Amino acid sequence: MAGTASTAKTTARKTTARTAEKKTAGKPASYDGFTEEEREAMKERAKELKASARRTSRTSRADKAAEAEADVLAKIAEMPDADRVLAERVHALVKENAPELAPKLWYGMPAYARDGKVVCFFQSAQKFRTRYATLGFSDLARLDDGAMWPAAYALTRLTPADEARIAELVRKAVA
């Protein structure tokens, strides 16, 4: 009996080792499902939630809004020059065309929300090491146009025509 139990344990160990080899075959040893940038964004989101919770109920709504906007402006100021210029202009366009949207940070990105839910956001090219910055819209944005429509736009520079298009999109998103 003792020999049978020992043989079963050895077989189980070999099976487990083979299964582990199959699961890791072709994958980098350090892969855990998220990129470094994604993990950083999640950490930033956790900080944002903690900061929001720290703003006590005694703080006025106007003070909370001012603090949230200051956080967004500080995040924009940290961006590389090319992205910062785009983010500043997008921020101004959203404020001008959808004053009901409240600026807030969302995963470390400037975002604009209605009733606490993000409607649109600006993603710096640096954020996820992409080729261009992005202006994105959530499913709450009322941009529906048939069975398929864009929900994110690549930004490399802003012309007056681009700014007019962004203003139109933002107004439509909150209509």
Side-chain angles (χ1 to χ4, degrees):
M1 288 295 251
T4 306
S6 176
T7 304
K9 287 180 184 178
T10 302
T11 303
R13 271 190 240 123
K14 287 180 181 177
T15 303
T16 303
R18 280 193 302 267
T19 303
E21 287 174 18
K22 286 179 185 177
K23 286 182 179 179
T24 60
K27 292 183 183 176
S30 64
Y31 180 76
D32 68 356
F34 294 104
T35 65
E36 182 181 327
E37 292 82 9
E38 290 168 331
R39 284 191 300 275
E40 185 61 34
M42 289 184 280
K43 288 177 187 175
E44 287 187 71
R45 182 67 181 139
K47 287 179 191 174
E48 293 160 11
L49 292 171
K50 286 178 185 176
S52 178
R54 274 189 229 117
R55 294 179 181 135
T56 65
S57 59
R58 289 184 231 163
T59 307
S60 75
R61 184 173 285 217
D63 288 343
K64 288 179 186 178
E67 286 178 27
E69 183 161 13
D71 292 344
V72 166
L73 293 173
K75 185 58 78 172
I76 290 171
E78 294 173 4
M79 293 179 186
D81 288 345
D83 288 342
R84 183 183 43 74
V85 168
L86 292 170
E88 287 172 345
R89 193 63 197 128
V90 167
H91 179 76
L93 288 165
V94 172
K95 300 260 312 161
E96 290 168 20
N97 293 283
E100 64 269 32
L101 293 181
K104 68 183 272 180
L105 287 178
W106 184 62
Y107 293 94
M109 297 178 283
Y112 305 88
R114 180 185 319 164
D115 300 326
K117 298 186 183 206
V118 172
V119 174
C120 62
F121 60 91
F122 177 85
Q123 181 178 301
S124 167
Q126 172 209 4
K127 182 78 178 165
F128 293 104
R129 298 182 189 169
T130 58
R131 206 171 59 141
Y132 44 77
T134 307
L135 172 63
F137 294 88
S138 76
D139 60 328
L140 299 176
R142 298 180 178 134
L143 298 176
D144 302 29
D145 185 17
M148 187 172 97
W149 59 89
Y153 297 83
L155 302 175
T156 56
R157 61 187 173 86
L158 291 178
T159 65
D162 298 326
E163 291 183 5
R165 177 72 173 131
I166 290 170
E168 176 188 337
L169 285 167
V170 169
R171 284 191 302 270
K172 186 176 180 182
V174 296

